[in-house]
Amino acid sequence: MSENKLDNESSPYLLQLAQNPVHWHAWNEESLGRAKKENKPIFLSIGYSSCHWCHVMAHESFEDEEIAKIMNENFVNIKVDREERPDLDDIYQKVCQMSTGQGGWPLSVFLTPEQRPFYVGTYFPAIDSYGRPGFGSLCRQLAQSWKEKPKDIEKAADNFMQNLDKLKQFPTPSEIDKSILDEAAINLLQIADTAYGGFGQAPKFPNASNLSFMFRYSKLSGISKFEKFALLTLKKMAKGGIFDQIGGGFHRYSTDARWLVPHFEKMLYDNALLPIVYSEAYQITKDPFFRMVVKKTLDYVIREMTSSDGMFFSAQDADTNGEEGQTFVWKKREIEKILGEDSEIFCIYYDVTDGGNFEGNTILANNIGASSLGFKFGKSESEIQNIILKCSDKLLEVRNEREQPGKDDKVITSWNGLMISAFLSGYRITDDSKYFDTAKKSIDFFESNFGKNHILHRTFKNGEPKLNGYLDDYAYMANASIDMFENTSDPKYLLFATNLANYLVTHFWDDSTHGFFFTSDNHEKLIIRPKNNYDLSMPSGNSVAACVLLKLYHITQDKQFLEIAKKIIESQATAAAENPFAFGYLLNVLYLYYQKPTEITIINDKNFELVSSLRKKFLPESIMVLVANKNNLDALSKYAFFSGKEFQDDKTNVIVCKNFSCSLPLSDLSEIEKEL
């Protein structure tokens, strides 16, 4: 008799279910082969560690002995961590969306032994409720149908497969011109919430790439309302409950339109993407508020989400002891006891009341300025800010003594790539070397691992790799490596990015549809080979790959990179204009392509003030490389980007190239600005 097989898995999510009475299997040849051998349908359950309703369904159904018995007798039960196997999640989410009009997690799919879906849904209660069938009775019905009505099962599976086949995209390429950007910006603004920021109504997600596009379009068009909207959104988010006011970092999304009540999980990718756009906001405005948000977010990641060997963990749960947000909320009397005489100022600043704003507790959110509070209490703005900072530190100490939410400590390569880029963004606007050092330690691990294995892996747990990488892993890490190269000019990072790009072209490219597959040509064969072009909670691998290839072309002059980048952009341009919300990152790449990147070479960092000033400028259409030493310049001289440029030991020179024309070496900031 089969038993639960999850004990030896590395995923924290799968390990959470290792003691279930359900005889869970991982997705592997053994479990798939067992289904065929025993002619049993597969029940596939896909979730992730910080998923609230995954935990609810596990508690209600998978811990129930009676339901487990039905499952064990009639199905081969397979558990998948969607973050380990995004390919499986992508395929069967599409099936769910086609069948029910929506998707989500936990994803519950019933498959034939050949992996063909015949019934799909998300969360099912243990018994009939919420307008949903009870999971136990559903299992009984489907088991009976499998035995007594096999033709009905096959018909349902055929229908799903036919619909999946229709999803194959053969886009019509379109010309890349400013009208695409114009249409996208106008359409995006039409769904903007001009009162509270963000797009649409509740629930609201951060959508960092769309805000970055607003900044770029505003610069291109000269129309300030786009920039003002993005800045409004970033202010509202950072002052709301979606931002952890005392611990730093962003929660997943807001359940309301005002950014007050979050879903309390913290995902690494949000805390990577958002510091990048907040860094851009600082570059545009020089408002120290935006720099503070960047620092608090990155400091949170260093403090709570970084392993001893310099890699970044995946997520923190929303729940503590089964209660959403328990770790993060406060009672007013608790704050008064901890802070004493300073509590009045703190409570007004963060809107802490006796009744609270969330189930009798308070989620800290700031709706009043320090200057207004200073006027009320006869203190300067800086005095108020110092009091708030001191109080926050005290509360964080107390909060750290509470039971903490669960942490998914597996390392996902693609998300680490995003995080490396975020730390480098933070380094550029703060000049704080700890952010650079953190980024370098992480990328050096992945560069070394790739050098040894000639592939990227999807995940690591305790330093041990698992699963071959997907499109996102290669694209995001290549982008991070270019970012590191721009900051160091170390040729090894350019080589790393180039090798990753070449691997993508060789093993992922599909010239028939002008896009990259999500899986490589040597990946496990599934019912379809998935492809995804949408920039939603994270940018699509295709969008990031296009950015990588475009930048690499300008650095290396490898025309293959430009041709493929252009094909991706052209194939998605019309869709991006019509539905910009789903193509935020691609629009930023389209902007870069349309503007023809400005190539900026800073030679020698002796004049650090000049280097720092240039880094703090908003130059989204530029590729800016700092060449810190002569050896690097000599090694890079084979590339046109660096050819003919000289290193002077006692001077920092800047060369600006546009449209195949370069300036003379410049050392005065005002002269450089004229060329930008």
Side-chain angles (χ1 to χ4, degrees):
M1 180 168 119
S2 176
E3 296 181 351
N4 193 311
K5 301 284 191 181
L6 300 183
D7 271 338
N8 296 319
E9 293 298 310
S10 58
S11 161
Y13 174 61
L14 298 188
L15 291 171
Q16 290 170 7
L17 303 159
Q19 304 306 313
N20 282 175
V22 178
H23 295 165
W24 287 117
H25 299 257
W27 182 282
N28 52 40
E29 289 184 9
E30 180 187 354
S31 56
L32 298 173
R34 182 168 176 258
K36 289 180 179 179
K37 183 179 178 181
E38 298 182 11
N39 192 32
K40 278 187 175 181
I42 295 167
F43 171 61
L44 173 64
S45 177
I46 302 178
Y48 58 103
S49 71
S50 56
C51 165
H52 173 73
W53 287 103
C54 300
H55 297 312
V56 172
M57 189 167 175
H59 177 67
E60 291 178 344
S61 295
F62 305 150
E63 294 174 10
D64 185 284
E65 295 283 351
E66 185 178 341
I67 293 175
K69 186 173 184 239
I70 300 167
M71 295 171 66
N72 296 336
E73 288 176 354
N74 294 284
F75 303 94
V76 174
N77 301 292
I78 296 179
K79 249 299 173 186
V80 165
D81 183 338
R82 68 173 288 259
E83 294 165 357
E84 284 190 335
R85 293 300 303 263
D87 52 338
L88 295 172
D89 184 59
D90 182 78
I91 292 169
Y92 294 113
Q93 281 291 349
K94 287 186 172 75
V95 172
C96 188
Q97 290 159 1
M98 288 187 297
S99 176
T100 67
Q102 59 186 20
W105 301 274
L107 181 61
S108 305
V109 195
F110 293 86
L111 311 173
T112 70
E114 294 75 32
Q115 306 169 31
R116 289 156 36 100
F118 61 87
Y119 192 91
V120 63
T122 53
Y123 163 78
F124 293 98
I127 58 176
D128 296 356
S129 56
Y130 307 111
R132 298 169 183 253
F135 189 66
S137 59
L138 177 65
C139 286
R140 287 192 192 93
Q141 293 168 18
L142 292 175
Q144 186 176 358
S145 296
W146 178 260
K147 294 170 184 174
E148 299 176 3
K149 300 178 180 178
K151 290 184 178 178
D152 290 351
I153 296 289
E154 286 300 318
K155 185 178 179 180
D158 286 343
N159 286 337
F160 278 127
M161 294 304 298
Q162 288 169 13
N163 287 327
L164 277 174
D165 195 56
K166 292 176 184 176
L167 293 178
K168 292 179 180 178
Q169 297 180 349
F170 295 92
T172 302
S174 59
E175 291 294 320
I176 303 171
D177 56 35
K178 186 172 174 291
S179 66
I180 297 288
L181 298 169
D182 294 335
E183 185 180 352
I186 292 166
N187 286 339
L188 195 56
L189 203 60
Q190 286 179 346
I191 60 171
D193 180 350
T194 54
Y196 297 107
F199 302 98
Q201 297 303 307
K204 278 185 176 175
F205 292 81
N207 303 117
S209 296
N210 291 318
L211 298 174
S212 284
F213 173 63
M214 290 289 199
F215 286 149
R216 283 155 177 76
Y217 185 74
S218 189
K219 183 176 185 180
L220 175 68
S221 66
I223 304 173
S224 62
K225 66 180 179 181
F226 295 95
E227 177 186 298
K228 287 178 179 177
F229 170 76
L231 293 173
L232 168 74
T233 300
L234 293 171
K235 281 269 187 179
K236 292 289 187 180
M237 284 198 300
K239 288 179 174 291
I242 191 175
F243 184 63
D244 183 349
Q245 298 294 333
I246 63 171
F250 287 85
H251 300 292
R252 179 69 194 95
Y253 62 86
S254 176
T255 62
D256 64 288
R258 296 183 297 134
W259 306 104
L260 174 61
V261 181
H263 181 47
F264 284 91
E265 66 183 319
K266 288 183 178 179
M267 307 302 297
L268 185 70
Y269 54 79
D270 289 320
N271 290 290
L273 292 165
L274 285 166
I276 294 172
V277 70
Y278 275 94
S279 293
E280 292 178 344
Y282 175 76
Q283 289 173 326
I284 293 167
T285 65
K286 300 300 186 290
D287 185 340
F289 174 81
F290 296 117
R291 183 174 59 191
M292 178 274 294
V293 175
V294 172
K295 287 174 65 68
K296 286 184 74 169
T297 303
L298 297 179
D299 290 346
Y300 150 73
V301 173
I302 291 173
R303 185 180 68 247
E304 298 188 38
M305 299 294 287
T306 304
S307 70
S308 58
D309 50 5
M311 294 186 289
F312 310 113
F313 301 137
S314 298
Q316 286 181 319
D317 289 359
D319 302 357
T320 307
N321 296 322
E323 184 176 331
E324 173 123 14
Q326 185 188 82
T327 301
F328 300 99
V329 298
W330 299 90
K331 297 281 189 188
K332 186 178 181 182
R333 61 179 179 271
E334 183 183 14
I335 290 176
E336 289 173 337
K337 183 178 178 180
I338 297 166
L339 300 183
E341 63 181 11
D342 289 332
S343 64
E344 185 179 5
I345 289 175
F346 186 90
C347 287
I348 294 174
Y349 188 80
Y350 281 122
D351 198 24
V352 180
T353 61
D354 291 324
N357 56 23
F358 176 69
E359 299 176 355
N361 298 298
T362 292
I363 300 166
L364 300 182
N366 171 232
N367 294 309
I368 188 171
S371 58
S372 300
L373 208 53
F375 181 78
K376 176 179 173 64
F377 286 92
K379 298 180 182 294
S380 68
E381 184 175 349
S382 62
E383 286 177 311
I384 295 293
Q385 289 172 337
N386 287 334
I387 290 170
I388 298 299
L389 183 61
K390 181 179 68 174
C391 291
S392 296
D393 289 344
K394 283 185 181 179
L395 290 181
L396 184 59
E397 284 182 22
V398 172
R399 198 179 81 180
N400 287 340
E401 295 301 313
R402 296 175 176 175
E403 187 167 351
Q404 299 298 302
K407 184 179 296 180
D408 188 332
D409 61 353
K410 70 175 178 292
V411 170
I412 299 174
T413 296
S414 59
W415 300 7
N416 272 246
L418 291 176
M419 201 70 241
I420 291 164
S421 294
F423 274 107
L424 292 172
S425 288
Y427 170 60
R428 285 192 287 272
I429 67 162
T430 64
D431 298 322
D432 191 334
S433 61
K434 75 176 176 183
Y435 299 137
F436 173 83
D437 294 341
T438 302
K440 187 175 186 306
K441 187 173 183 180
S442 179
I443 199 167
D444 283 350
F445 172 87
F446 290 99
E447 188 269 340
S448 175
N449 184 267
F450 182 83
K452 288 186 292 188
N453 298 286
H454 307 296
I455 60 167
L456 284 182
H457 290 92
R458 171 64 177 176
T459 65
F460 292 81
K461 182 71 184 297
N462 300 322
E464 292 297 316
K466 183 179 180 181
L467 304 166
N468 289 349
Y470 298 95
L471 168 63
D472 292 2
D473 299 304
Y474 283 86
Y476 291 11
M477 193 56 66
N479 193 54
S481 196
I482 293 172
D483 287 342
M484 181 59 76
F485 173 71
E486 287 188 72
N487 280 274
T488 64
S489 71
D490 188 332
K492 82 170 183 179
Y493 298 117
L494 179 58
L495 180 62
F496 186 31
T498 304
N499 285 340
L500 293 175
N502 283 324
Y503 192 96
L504 280 174
V505 173
T506 302
H507 296 287
F508 288 82
W509 180 244
D510 177 17
D511 202 52
S512 65
T513 61
H514 293 182
F516 288 104
F517 287 110
F518 190 66
T519 56
S520 67
D521 55 6
N522 51 22
H523 189 75
E524 171 191 0
K525 187 174 176 60
L526 303 172
I527 56 170
I528 63 169
R529 192 175 177 191
K531 186 181 289 178
N532 195 337
N533 297 311
Y534 296 118
D535 306 320
L536 296 171
S537 57
M538 286 178 286
S540 81
N542 270 288
S543 298
V544 179
C547 185
V548 165
L549 296 173
L550 182 59
K551 288 182 177 179
L552 283 177
Y553 163 70
H554 281 272
I555 297 171
T556 68
Q557 292 297 297
D558 187 331
K559 290 184 178 178
Q560 177 188 224
F561 292 155
L562 178 63
E563 290 167 1
I564 294 176
K566 188 179 178 184
K567 285 179 179 179
I568 295 172
I569 298 168
E570 288 177 337
S571 69
Q572 301 300 319
T574 300
E578 295 172 351
N579 182 20
F581 184 78
F583 291 94
Y585 197 97
L586 184 83
L587 287 166
N588 293 326
V589 183
L590 201 157
Y591 167 88
L592 182 64
Y593 178 88
Y594 173 77
Q595 289 288 81
K596 300 182 178 62
T598 301
E599 300 169 2
I600 305 169
T601 313
I602 306 172
I603 301 177
N604 198 336
D605 60 357
K606 186 176 182 65
N607 186 348
F608 185 78
E609 185 178 344
L610 175 61
V611 175
S612 179
S613 296
L614 288 172
R615 283 174 168 166
K616 291 180 176 63
K617 289 188 175 298
F618 182 59
L619 301 169
E621 65 283 355
S622 71
I623 300 170
M624 185 164 66
V625 182
L626 170 63
V627 183
N629 61 71
K630 187 176 184 301
N631 288 339
N632 284 356
L633 186 60
D634 291 343
L636 296 167
S637 61
K638 62 182 178 180
Y639 300 112
F641 195 107
F642 304 98
S643 179
K645 297 171 182 177
E646 295 182 2
F647 194 95
Q648 291 183 260
D649 292 332
D650 61 344
K651 190 177 183 181
T652 297
N653 285 318
V654 178
I655 300 166
V656 180
C657 301
K658 288 182 178 178
N659 293 321
F660 308 103
S661 176
C662 295
S663 72
L664 294 170
L666 305 170
S667 57
D668 181 79
L669 182 60
S670 61
E671 292 180 353
I672 297 167
E673 288 175 334
K674 291 176 184 176
E675 297 289 335
L676 296 175

